[in-house]
Amino acid sequence: MRLAAFRNRVRKGAGEHPEFVNKWNSKKRFLQAFVRTDGQLGVAYDVATIGGLNAANFADVLAWWNSQLAELADFFKEELNLPDAKADKPKS
């Protein structure tokens, strides 16, 4: 089977508890979170490429990956009571 995998690690100290990961995974199917053996939180998004993946479909995959990472950031803010980074930026 052909598969493309997108993976990312999150800075240690933010949500690397099984309860946090399970809460995310219980609501999300495509971007799965996990705690690595070193205790760091990771996320993965696997994409099947059987039959090929044209440029338009790959662009959609990248858009979905970015969308899911944004949702994960929102989840962190809500669950860990983190400040909204956008609110701290000066208005131009």
Side-chain angles (χ1 to χ4, degrees):
M1 175 180 0
R2 294 182 190 172
L3 189 70
F6 295 85
R7 304 212 183 271
N8 197 7
R9 289 181 284 175
V10 179
R11 183 174 31 173
K12 252 186 150 178
E16 64 272 348
H17 303 289
E19 298 82 17
F20 182 84
V21 170
N22 288 340
K23 188 169 186 180
W24 170 264
N25 287 339
S26 71
K27 297 177 183 179
K28 300 295 178 181
R29 177 178 175 195
F30 297 106
L31 184 73
Q32 291 294 293
F34 54 92
V35 179
R36 295 166 25 118
T37 56
D38 65 0
Q40 191 169 25
L41 178 70
V43 292
Y45 173 46
D46 297 330
V47 179
T49 60
I50 297 171
L53 191 62
N54 65 35
N57 288 347
F58 188 66
D60 187 50
V61 165
L62 294 178
W64 187 259
W65 168 249
N66 284 326
S67 170
Q68 290 297 288
L69 289 178
E71 285 188 33
L72 182 64
D74 290 341
F75 181 77
F76 266 79
K77 286 181 228 171
E78 292 169 11
E79 294 297 318
L80 301 176
N81 297 314
L82 299 175
D84 187 352
K86 293 176 189 172
D88 296 337
K89 290 184 181 179
K91 295 180 182 177
S92 44

